[in-house]
Amino acid sequence: MSHRCMPLLLAALAAGPSALRAQTSDSITAADVRSRIALLASDALRGRGTPSPGLEQAARYAAREFQRLGLRPAGDSGYIQRYTLVRSRFVAESSTVSIVGPLPRRWRVGRDVYWLPSSGMAPRELTGRPVVLVGVPSDSLHAFAGTDLRGAILIQLADDRPDRPGTPMWLLRAAAQAGAVAAILVRNLPPEQFRASMAELATPRLVRPGSESFAPFPVLQMQDATLGTYLAEIGIAAAGNRPVPDTVEQIVIPETAVRLHLVERILARRTAPNILALLPGSDSTAEYVTLAAHIDALGVGRKLGGDSIYNGADDDASGSAVVLEAAEALARGPRPRRSILFALFSGTEHGFWGSEYFVSRPTVPLARMVAFLNVESISRNMPDSLAVLGKARSWLGAAVDSAAARHPELGLTVLGDLWPREDYFAQSDQQMFAVHDVPSLFFFNGVHGALHAPWDDIRVVNVESTTRITRYLAELTRELANP
Ligand SMILES: [Zn+2]
């Protein structure tokens, strides 16, 4: 044995005996990767919108594949886990916001009040104590430390200036966590802009009842001219001032309640599928490693460049192909110690409907999930690199690097988060698992001109690099499942 061979052998021994056998990923071929992406992203599936017949067709295909591989069904009914969607219309003309107390007042939604349609399903009646927040607290962890927000409706005097934080999403989440039941944002928008947004209210929309992915509770908007003026009348000094003062203040209004009466009419009920399969492990600890992607895309939409089918080849037929190919490779290999869950979620493009539902009704215990790997849009940018977001958040970061070091033949450089300011980690399914303390990683090679466009079809896909990335992710999954 020459001196030069030593480090290689040491690496093989450190990886355990399986590294001396044929590689897990031998069955992963460019032809398979290409045909899976081409099938999912074909015009026949019409962009796999949630919900749609094309999405159901994609789900049947994935379930058939999992069955063919001999994987165990991990949905509620076979490989499928179904969640409910509702098509509804908000009835602004019947909806009101009232103040009950020494100085009562009532405003109409659609005229004085805008209801943010992306915030969940409207509750019919909701009453809470008003707590006024001036400005934005700097500390997101202790934003409401000194104030009792239980059962409160938060009224935020939002700072509209372009360089200001406005109303950050974390502020709404922190308020919900502290017990607030709704929020009203007081803004100073040009009146014509405020009126124009009201027109959207009448447009029917799809909701997943119970979804909190946009906001954890109902969010409404009112103008300074209405609610701001009222608050100034009852002596809240900061109200009506523009710009909003920089000093952060939380003011509890005594002997007063805010009452929301919101009417939303259900027009139709639908369902959409997640597709879930399990490769059972041999360990008695029953821990799980999950490899996931989203199988939905944007469906059929506005015609652009002569095409209206948003095929979603890179986003995220590529990730779905990784999951299916890795499942095939791992199902053929030796039984792993930890179980491996293969998950294809739908509704991701609408705000993580499928993954959010899964974490609310997990089919394997979340507390036993030691790794969640989400793969999205990895087939176009950076053919010789793979960006991995969330490496610093858990023990998984080190495994990502060592798996890459053990497979130099793949010619892949594993990178960290190249876009920390964009917070892409929070923008896909792994966020749903990370908030439940599941160690999570996001494999994502960044945005490009075809993302969310009708020309994100098979022609943008680099099949050769996607095949190497698929092999890498199969090896990584196998290593994580064999500690
Ligand atoms: Zn996507």
Side-chain angles (χ1 to χ4, degrees), residues 291-309:
L291 183 63
H294 74 85
I295 198 165
D296 68 307
L298 289 167
V300 180
R302 196 160 61 92
K303 201 167 195 165
L304 279 175
D307 191 359
S308 58
I309 300 175

Side-chain angles (χ1 to χ4, degrees), residues 294 315-316 349 376-377 452:
H294 74 85
D315 178 20
D316 186 26
E349 296 288 6
E376 186 161 346
S377 299
H452 294 172

Side-chain angles (χ1 to χ4, degrees), residues 10 82 251 273 275 314 357 380:
L10 286 177
R82 278 199 181 277
I251 307 152
I275 309 97
D314 182 47
Y357 182 78
R380 190 167 199 251

Side-chain angles (χ1 to χ4, degrees), residues 6-8 11 17 30 48 61-62 67 109 167 309-310 352 381 392 442:
M6 280 287 286
L8 265 182
R48 312 184 303 288
Y61 159 70
Q67 184 173 31
V109 183
T167 309
I309 300 175
Y310 289 62
F352 327 126
N381 295 344
F442 187 31

